Amino acid sequence: MPRHTPHQPHQPHQRLRNALTALAGAACIGLTPASAQVSASTPPMDSLCPPGALVDAAFRDAAVLTIRQLVVRAPGQASHGAVRRALAAAHIDSQRRPWHHIAAYEGNLGLIGALRIDPTLRTEAADWLRWQVRNLPLRGVDQGVLHDRWVLADGSLQSTCPPDIDARHCKQIDATDSTIASLFLMAKAYLDNGGDAALLREPAVRLALERAAVTLARLQQPNGLSWAKRSHPVAYLMDAVEVAAGWRALAHVQDTVWAQPQAAQTSRARAQRTSSGVEQQLWDVDTGLWRVSLDSGPAQTRHWYPDTMAQAWPLLWSSPGQPASFSASRAAWPRAAARWRTNDTAWQTRNVDPAGFWWPAAAVAAHCVGDTAAAVDWVARARAAWLRPEAPFAWPFQVSDLLWLLWLAEPGPPQAPLPAPTAAPADRPGG
């Protein structure tokens, strides 16, 4: 489930700024609704929403370069392979050391989107999967719960609670159910993009995924929906559709890699129970909208998040096996989005989230229901902001945004040669 957490901005490394500026200048393509295309390629994950060639090559390549920069390259260190949430440091300690936030859910989504565009990122994906396995508890009350981590900019230290930080940011996880689901989806994306199945057969990797599956199963309730986490027994719509997709992804791994057809059938059954729970428990017939959670009141669109964005999630995480959810969402999303349109402005031309987050998933949802003009307008606004030479892809951009941004891009050769990856930059405040 998308997250809203505090963040302290810190300027990205100068080398990255220079590289992104060069890429942005390599192809200045004006985006207009007339230039929009429907892609013949497949989406980055199982979904009935098609990709679209709405993001030009230079913007696409800049996004790929950004996720390469977000990968922690510190061989021999515990942090090696981690994917930072943002280019900016999230915390500066009393020694003026910049700490970066690592959230598994967000890193998984970002890499899933980027792998479709650049399958050579499977090397980084393998390192990222191993990082998650190394940090995933295998027993005790935290079994399968991958709490957020913090790493120094140079990768030399990793912690669940860096010095001088507010205790609220220690041992934190936004949601256990969707984070586990994202791990399964990451494993499938790795395979789908040429990854070596032998990695998923490694005893440590397989054990970690199996223990995570046990935890996710324990969170599932008799109605099919799962609690967000053991300490927060709330069943959210946005989590539920991700969890269903995660169970389907695990079933694929169990079938094709582990040769466990019975286990795969169990996972598919859990996915079906989750999807049925969504349709039966979270659709509000009176309003024709999705409820945000099982214990929320009547569905509404008064708030952009979570109310309005929740309407997009069953659409984006759709499955051919659940056509009813997809059809309902195709009607719900335009109704919800219409609330955020005035005579002269609409959601795609301004930031309607009070927290400042960009929500590129809204552009994918718009394209999915045929409002490609709105998606094009959103992409143009994001391009102007995220490719600013002085601070490219600045916060509140976060790595998970790349799943949705690159959904609207087409794979292809880089517009300009991408710089070779380097070790994690030793950023300093004011960088």
Side-chain angles (χ1 to χ4, degrees):
M1 182 175 180
R3 52 200 296 141
H4 286 173
T5 54
H7 185 93
Q8 297 180 12
H10 177 62
Q11 292 301 312
H13 195 252
Q14 182 63 47
R15 182 176 181 273
L16 178 64
R17 289 203 297 267
N18 294 343
L20 292 183
T21 300
L23 278 171
C28 297
I29 299 177
L31 294 179
T32 65
S35 72
Q37 302 174 35
V38 174
S39 167
S41 66
T42 58
M45 60 191 185
D46 293 340
S47 175
L48 296 174
C49 289
L54 313 185
V55 172
D56 66 86
F59 192 12
R60 174 202 68 195
D61 294 346
V64 171
L65 177 59
T66 297
I67 199 163
R68 288 184 177 277
Q69 186 70 15
L70 289 169
V71 172
V72 176
R73 304 177 193 277
Q77 302 290 342
S79 64
H80 180 68
V83 177
R84 296 180 292 158
R85 188 183 176 201
L87 291 169
H91 171 65
I92 308 295
D93 67 21
S94 60
Q95 299 180 49
R96 305 293 292 164
R97 296 180 301 178
W99 291 84
H100 289 259
H101 191 190
I102 312 295
Y105 169 86
E106 303 223 15
N108 283 329
L109 265 57
L111 263 175
I112 289 169
L115 274 167
R116 170 179 163 267
I117 300 298
D118 182 3
T120 67
L121 282 165
R122 56 183 167 264
T123 299
E124 285 79 2
D127 287 343
W128 171 233
L129 283 167
R130 287 193 171 100
W131 180 90
Q132 292 182 78
V133 167
R134 289 198 304 271
N135 289 277
L136 188 74
L138 299 179
R139 58 186 61 85
V141 295
D142 288 335
Q143 174 184 298
V145 182
L146 183 48
H147 291 108
D148 296 356
R149 297 295 194 274
W150 298 80
V151 300
L152 282 180
D154 62 3
S156 60
L157 286 178
Q158 176 176 294
S159 175
T160 57
C161 194
D164 313 306
I165 199 169
D166 189 318
R168 291 176 300 173
H169 301 305
C170 299
K171 205 174 182 181
Q172 177 189 36
I173 186 172
D174 183 65
T176 300
D177 59 351
S178 57
T179 298
I180 292 175
S182 75
L183 172 61
F184 300 156
L185 289 158
M186 180 73 248
K188 182 177 184 295
Y190 172 72
L191 291 174
D192 290 346
N193 290 279
D196 187 353
L199 182 148
L200 300 181
R201 295 191 190 101
E202 292 177 6
V205 175
R206 178 170 170 174
L207 179 61
L209 267 63
E210 289 177 337
R211 292 290 174 86
V214 169
T215 297
L216 186 57
R218 288 173 177 168
L219 290 171
Q220 190 169 34
Q221 302 305 301
N223 60 15
L225 304 176
S226 60
W227 286 348
K229 47 188 171 183
R230 191 168 56 88
S231 61
H232 188 63
V234 177
Y236 290 104
L237 168 70
M238 297 172 85
D239 287 37
V241 293
E242 294 173 344
V243 166
W247 281 121
R248 292 192 295 269
L250 179 62
H252 177 79
V253 173
Q254 291 167 325
D255 250 341
T256 63
V257 180
W258 299 341
Q260 291 183 313
Q262 188 57 51
Q265 182 55 38
T266 298
S267 295
R268 282 190 287 268
R270 288 193 177 278
Q272 182 59 47
R273 283 181 55 207
T274 303
S275 296
S276 297
V278 168
E279 292 181 353
Q280 296 167 12
Q281 306 288 329
L282 297 177
W283 178 251
D284 189 332
V285 176
D286 294 335
T287 63
L289 297 169
W290 295 102
R291 296 165 61 197
V292 169
S293 67
L294 188 59
D295 58 356
S296 63
Q300 58 171 318
T301 58
R302 187 161 56 94
H303 301 101
W304 177 256
Y305 174 78
D307 304 336
T308 296
M309 283 309 306
Q311 308 309 312
W313 245 240
L315 186 70
L316 301 170
W317 297 86
S318 53
S319 163
Q322 299 295 134
S325 292
F326 182 73
S327 297
S329 291
R330 278 186 61 85
W333 171 255
R335 293 185 57 232
R339 178 185 176 93
W340 301 91
R341 182 180 297 114
T342 64
N343 291 335
D344 56 349
T345 60
W347 63 267
Q348 67 267 22
T349 60
R350 60 193 173 96
N351 200 323
V352 294
D353 185 345
F357 290 88
W358 278 81
W359 291 101
V364 178
H367 179 58
C368 189
V369 302
D371 190 5
T372 299
V376 168
D377 288 343
W378 183 93
V379 169
R381 184 169 64 93
R383 191 188 201 281
W386 289 354
L387 294 187
R388 287 174 182 157
E390 69 278 9
F393 291 93
W395 182 261
F397 166 85
Q398 51 197 324
V399 65
S400 57
D401 288 342
L402 293 178
L403 169 61
W404 315 108
L405 176 68
L406 293 174
W407 196 306
L408 300 175
E410 276 294 272
Q415 187 70 25
L418 294 179
T422 59
D427 292 344
R428 292 293 180 266

